[in-house]
Amino acid sequence: MILILTTEAGDFSHPKFIDWLRYYGADYEILTGESIYNGNVDIEIKENQLFVNNRNYTTDVNVVFNRRWLTSSELPTIDHCCLLNDSIKNTLSAELYELRNFLSYNLKNALWIPDIQNLNVNKITILQKAQEFGLRVPDYVITNKKEEAVNFINSQETIITKAIGNFPRNYIQDNLLVNPIYTKLISRELLEALPETFFVSIFQKYIHKYKEYRVLFFADAFFTVEILTQENDYSIVDSRAKKDDTSEIRIQKTNLPISYQKKLGEFMKSIGLNIGCIDIIESKNNEFYFLEVNPVGQISGYSLRGNLDFEKKVVEEMIVIDNEKSKKRTNK
């Protein structure tokens, strides 16, 4: 059986995979954190076996497609007191994540895509590992001191800043959205206006892009699109930026050089990721810069518009693995 771990509300990509699973008539089930929270599934662990709706997942699950697990903001209100409600939600969400973490042990004989232990990658660690592996990354400094930030901008032509981690968008008011994921150019005037110390931040050399790529990686295969960010003034710095709600950046299917793909594949293997969304930029000097990798990043938006058929390829491989593992178990 193929088990899909996802969230009911917050993942745009997983329905495309499910469409292909249904098309091929695969043996699959979907389990979400919300479904357990709301009591929509019966779950029981007894004698070291995990049962969901009376099916033995411990023996039956051969492949786990591990997307997101829970969107806590979608959980129903428990108490009208905001502080108490948030506290209860946070506690129950933490319990559900502990249950998901247990699955990685209980279903240890299954192939996990990606492995739950490598799900939450640290951007700084990944940048360091990429450098150690010989991948070119933009120069950067992480500091909370104004002096260091000023010294860094003095050594570079232009610098940017962005979030160190991956954070959800936060609505402070109905019409005010705080989204920390965007990349922003940093001016000398802004640095001079900062206090002598501030919250620790990453400052990175701004690479004048010739091309930008989103690479969908799975099982040593690459599915790549070029994001045509340089066609629009508003998207030159950050491909996620929009002029308005109707604006959309063009993308087109492409390929990276075979030698660079090979190095990327070896790097992904070294960090234990069998799937991921990789961001790459190419400078005007035709040098490739690794930016980051997200094990559960946006897939279908790029796959559909780039005509990559990524979901189809992943599902076909999952079905092959599921069938092989089932046959081995039957022949024992």
Side-chain angles (χ1 to χ4, degrees):
M1 182 183 80
I2 299 169
L3 175 62
I4 311 295
L5 295 182
T6 188
T7 174
E8 294 181 2
D11 184 23
F12 173 74
S13 293
H14 85 267
K16 307 297 181 182
F17 291 92
I18 294 169
D19 286 343
W20 281 110
L21 287 165
R22 187 182 299 115
Y23 173 80
Y24 282 119
D27 179 15
Y28 76 95
E29 291 189 8
I30 303 168
L31 184 63
T32 70
E34 293 98 331
S35 67
I36 299 173
Y37 181 96
N38 293 319
N40 296 328
V41 298
D42 296 328
I43 187 166
E44 185 178 15
I45 300 170
K46 58 183 180 181
E47 298 178 355
N48 299 323
Q49 306 285 296
L50 169 65
F51 294 85
V52 178
N53 292 335
N54 295 319
R55 183 167 187 177
N56 191 330
Y57 274 28
T58 303
T59 59
D60 288 1
V61 173
N62 296 315
V63 180
V64 181
F65 187 56
N66 187 21
R67 292 292 294 177
R68 297 174 176 89
W69 168 244
L70 175 69
T71 305
S72 58
S73 61
E74 297 294 326
L75 299 181
T77 299
I78 300 169
D79 188 277
H80 293 294
C81 172
C82 292
L83 290 177
L84 180 57
N85 184 64
D86 289 343
S87 177
I88 295 173
K89 278 187 177 183
N90 290 338
T91 299
L92 296 181
S93 295
E95 291 286 273
L96 285 171
Y97 275 106
E98 287 300 310
L99 176 62
R100 188 195 65 170
N101 293 339
F102 163 76
L103 296 183
S104 67
Y105 175 78
N106 191 261
L107 307 180
K108 58 187 175 184
N109 293 324
L111 172 67
W112 283 70
I113 308 172
D115 190 308
I116 198 170
Q117 304 301 326
N118 301 319
L119 194 61
N120 296 313
V121 299
N122 182 281
K123 287 183 181 180
I124 305 171
T125 302
I126 291 298
L127 284 176
Q128 291 184 358
K129 288 184 176 181
Q131 284 181 304
E132 294 167 0
F133 207 81
L135 293 172
R136 184 180 284 109
V137 304
D139 293 338
Y140 68 93
V141 64
I142 298 172
T143 184
N144 63 347
K145 295 175 61 178
K146 175 180 177 178
E147 180 182 2
E148 293 298 327
V150 171
N151 289 340
F152 184 67
I153 198 173
N154 287 338
S155 68
Q156 308 294 336
E157 181 181 346
T158 311
I159 67 172
I160 56 95
T161 189
K162 56 186 178 182
I164 294 175
N166 296 302
F167 303 101
R169 297 178 298 177
N170 295 301
Y171 286 93
I172 296 178
Q173 296 175 343
D174 292 340
N175 61 346
L176 179 60
L177 170 65
V178 176
N179 192 339
I181 68 170
Y182 289 117
T183 299
K184 296 294 183 183
L185 287 171
I186 297 296
S187 66
R188 294 179 183 274
E189 290 75 17
L190 176 59
L191 287 184
E192 291 298 336
L194 290 175
E196 293 305 313
T197 61
F198 46 82
F199 190 80
V200 62
S201 303
I202 183 171
F203 300 97
Q204 198 168 48
K205 178 181 180 179
Y206 174 65
I207 306 298
H208 293 275
K209 290 180 289 187
Y210 170 56
K211 293 182 179 181
E212 181 169 353
Y213 305 96
R214 168 58 66 100
V215 182
L216 307 181
F217 171 84
F218 174 67
D220 297 326
F222 294 84
F223 305 78
T224 305
V225 295
E226 179 187 347
I227 309 171
L228 302 176
T229 56
Q230 308 309 293
E231 292 185 339
N232 311 294
D233 291 339
Y234 59 84
S235 61
I236 289 176
V237 176
D238 193 321
S239 63
R240 295 162 295 192
K242 288 188 174 185
K243 183 178 181 180
D244 51 48
D245 291 338
T246 62
S247 61
E248 190 170 55
I249 300 170
R250 292 198 308 130
I251 67 174
Q252 61 186 16
K253 187 176 181 179
T254 190
N255 288 299
L256 295 173
I258 297 298
S259 59
Y260 192 72
Q261 286 187 169
K262 182 180 179 181
K263 183 173 286 190
L264 275 180
E266 292 171 350
F267 171 69
M268 292 293 283
K269 184 178 181 179
S270 74
I271 60 176
L273 284 178
N274 52 18
I275 193 171
C277 302
I278 308 169
D279 291 330
I280 303 290
I281 57 175
E282 183 179 353
S283 73
K284 295 179 179 179
N285 296 324
N286 300 117
E287 295 174 322
F288 291 96
Y289 287 83
F290 172 90
L291 299 183
E292 62 181 82
V293 58
N294 189 338
V296 291
Q298 175 57 249
I299 291 174
S300 292
Y302 297 98
S303 179
L304 177 64
R305 293 169 59 204
N307 195 28
L308 301 180
D309 281 336
F310 182 73
E311 300 92 337
K312 179 175 181 286
K313 303 295 195 310
V314 173
V315 166
E316 288 174 344
E317 182 67 16
M318 288 196 295
I319 292 173
V320 168
I321 294 169
D322 181 36
N323 290 336
E324 289 177 350
K325 285 180 173 288
S326 293
K327 288 179 182 178
K328 287 181 180 179
R329 187 169 59 245
T330 301
N331 293 332
K332 282 184 178 181

